[in-house]
């Protein structure tokens, strides 16, 4: 298996080294006047005209632009700024479509008007909830157990007051019952750099995972009592420096309670011989996002860094944990329709004892080696590397459905991509490794896949994967392949 993985890596290196010459990005914008993009001719942005923002405030839109009214720029610089501004506006998740083009001033050849035309999304979603509670769809499909589902209603009001604020109300029942309220204000100052968000929730479960054995989660269920209850509240301050850099400062309080049976089954679920955990969590995060699309990236790069302190020594049965994590992702265009991407993510924790509840390695969310969807590899430290070679099977196209009257829904974009991929991961565990053989060992996985991308940030991926255990399978995912 290792030799086959090495062969896949060699193939990726070959494509990187011997790829076709990079084709420069076209700076032409639909509707723009055809002027040589290499021309040094300077133009004045006389006025920025916004079209289609029936709800979104102008200040939210102009915050994302790389140019302003009154700027004097070389024409090719303006065209590139228009292109990057369009990407920024799409990445706000406020619009389905954005077109930015210029209209030269008929009375002054040195001036131009810039038109920003948008199609806003539908911002109110009173949606019924039906969720699978397993870590991913593939694990749930093994049992197809509909008792392991959540149902209820999820009310989301995005772009509240036209200022990109978000209000969310959650009423969820079934396997994991939860009531929650979330309110986000992205900008609280005139410079539109600082934001604030609040969260409040109460969760209770009849069944939970209490431990791992053979890298599979073990579950305990009691229909008569709730075996875990949690109250959580938090506040987050955000700071946006320029266009690409974001900083977050988070304070959270959790009050957790498990049944006596769970504490007996795993005495290390919380601190030893305790069935409660009250904890204060402080966290700092920074990310620098230079991707063309955060939904499905083809070009650009991304970096983030987080540090978290769980427990301040102020509460009873509070652990003392310090951890740091970081990730870096790079996306290249080799030539038209050919792209490659690579990413690395790692986590490093302190040496103090980490309760099972506070330990998380690979196998959750987007942090997994493809081919190991059925496994959990928990631990205090881990490294994850992912690589993708992508061919655009069907470039982005738009279907216009005339019989749907709402503009927000009658234009449907879509694209298809074929992928070849190779992943590698390693988890270091000091506490539970004796009964989990995949821990403290290299995880290798590779395969091929087909991606479907459409609007409202929807991604469907079907992948055929193999791992070092000699296992293979077809897996379904709903996020971009490189995080």
């Amino acid at each position: 298996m290792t030799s086959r993985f090495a062969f896949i890596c060699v193939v990726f290196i070959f494509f990187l080294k011997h790829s076709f010459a990079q084709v420069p990005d076209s700076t032409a914008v639909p509707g723009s006047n055809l002027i040589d993009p290499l021309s040094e001719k300077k133009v004045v942005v006389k006025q920025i005209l916004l079209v289609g923002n029936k709800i979104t405030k102008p200040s939210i839109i102009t915050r994302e632009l790389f140019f302003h009214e009154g700027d004097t720029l070389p024409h090719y610089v303006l065209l590139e700024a228009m292109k990057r501004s369009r990407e920024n506006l799409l990445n706000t998740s406020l619009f389905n479509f954005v077109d930015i083009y210029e209209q030269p001033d008929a009375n002054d050849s040195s001036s131009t008007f810039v038109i920003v035309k948008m199609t806003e999304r539908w911002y109110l979603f009173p949606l019924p909830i039906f969720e699978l509670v397993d870590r991913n769809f593939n694990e749930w499909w093994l049992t197809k157990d509909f008792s392991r589902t959540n149902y209820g209603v999820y009310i989301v009001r995005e772009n509240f007051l036209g200022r990109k604020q978000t209000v969310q109300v959650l009423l969820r029942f079934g396997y994991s019952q939860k009531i929650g309220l979330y309110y986000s204000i992205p900008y609280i100052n005139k410079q539109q750099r600082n934001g604030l968000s609040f969260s409040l929730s109460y969760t209770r479960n009849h069944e939970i995972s209490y431990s791992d054995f053979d890298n599979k989660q073990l579950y305990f269920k009691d229909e008569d009592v709730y075996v875990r209850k949690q109250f959580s509240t938090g506040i987050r301050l955000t700071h946006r420096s320029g266009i690409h850099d974001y900083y977050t400062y988070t304070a959270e309080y959790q009050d957790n309670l498990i049944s006596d049976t769970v504490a007996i089954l795993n005495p290390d679920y919380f601190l030893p011989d305790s069935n409660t955990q009250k904890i204060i969590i402080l966290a700092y995060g920074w990310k620098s996002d230079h991707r063309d699309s955060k939904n499905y990236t083809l070009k650009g790069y991304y970096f983030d860094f987080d540090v978290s302190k769980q427990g301040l020594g102020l509460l009873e049965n509070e652990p003392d944990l310090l951890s740091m994590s970081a990730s870096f992702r790079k996306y290249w265009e080799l030539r038209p329709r050919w792209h490659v991407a690579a990413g690395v993510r790692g986590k490093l924790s302190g040496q103090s004892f980490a309760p099972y509840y506070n330990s998380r390695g690979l196998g959750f969310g987007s942090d997994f080696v493809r081919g190991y969807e059925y496994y959990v590899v928990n631990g205090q430290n881990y490294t994850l590397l992912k690589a993708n070679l992508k061919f655009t099977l069907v470039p982005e196209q738009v279907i216009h459905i005339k019989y749907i009257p709402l503009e927000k829904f009658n234009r449907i974009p879509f694209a298809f991509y074929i992928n070849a991929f190779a992943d590698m991961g390693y988890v270091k565990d000091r506490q539970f490794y004796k009964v989990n053989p995949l821990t403290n060992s290299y995880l290798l996985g590779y395969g091929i896949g087909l991606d479907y991308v459409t609007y409202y940030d929807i991604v469907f991926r079907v992948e055929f994967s193999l791992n070092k255990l000699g296992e293979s399978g077809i897996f379904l995912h709903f996020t971009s392949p490189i995080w």
Side-chain angles (χ1 to χ4, degrees), residues 288-308:
S288 186
D289 193 344
H290 297 258
R291 297 172 293 175
D292 61 346
S293 169
K294 68 179 182 180
N295 174 38
Y296 194 86
T297 310
L298 296 177
K299 291 184 292 184
Y301 65 93
Y302 174 95
F303 175 80
D304 66 41
F305 171 80
D306 296 276
V307 58
S308 173

Side-chain angles (χ1 to χ4, degrees), residues 334-376:
L334 302 180
R335 61 167 299 172
R337 304 183 73 167
W338 287 93
H339 295 82
V340 69
V344 58
R345 173 175 288 180
K347 177 184 176 183
L348 184 64
S349 301
Q351 297 296 316
S352 59
F353 172 81
Y356 174 80
Y357 175 74
N358 304 99
S359 297
R360 175 163 290 192
L362 299 181
F364 301 91
S366 299
D367 290 347
F368 64 93
V369 175
R370 282 171 282 188
Y372 295 84
E373 280 84 348
Y374 299 140
Y375 296 97
V376 169

